[in-house]
Amino acid sequence: MPRPTAAQIAYGSITVIFSTLAMLLLSQTSSAVGTAVIAVSGLALGLLVAMTVPQPKSRVVALSRPVERPAEEPVPAAASKTAA
């Protein structure tokens, strides 16, 4: 299983905090069971958001091969002519 990215952790954490706070304020619950249900649902929603954040595409790096150069032909040595 791949490790979560920084974006997944950030989006999931922000979702947990804000959704739990919003549900607690809107429901105005004062019981421990209601608070626990809201907390678990906030965690589930944060996990759902974190898992649906798109993963970055892995880069495919093409390996470069050395340029094939035609074999150089040896330069013939100049024949030295000696004058007699």
Side-chain angles (χ1 to χ4, degrees):
M1 183 172 165
R3 292 185 177 181
T5 62
Q8 287 177 313
I9 293 171
Y11 285 138
S13 299
I14 290 170
T15 302
V16 168
I17 292 168
F18 285 131
S19 65
T20 304
L21 182 64
M23 287 188 281
L24 284 172
L25 290 174
L26 291 174
S27 69
Q28 296 178 353
T29 186
S30 59
S31 68
V33 173
T35 305
V37 168
I38 289 174
V40 169
S41 63
L43 287 172
L45 186 62
L47 181 63
L48 177 71
V49 168
M51 297 308 291
T52 56
V53 173
Q55 291 275 346
K57 302 282 184 189
S58 60
R59 296 182 185 180
V60 177
V61 178
L63 297 175
S64 60
R65 291 187 289 166
V67 178
E68 293 183 22
R69 296 183 184 179
E72 296 181 12
E73 295 180 18
V75 178
S80 60
K81 295 182 181 179
T82 55

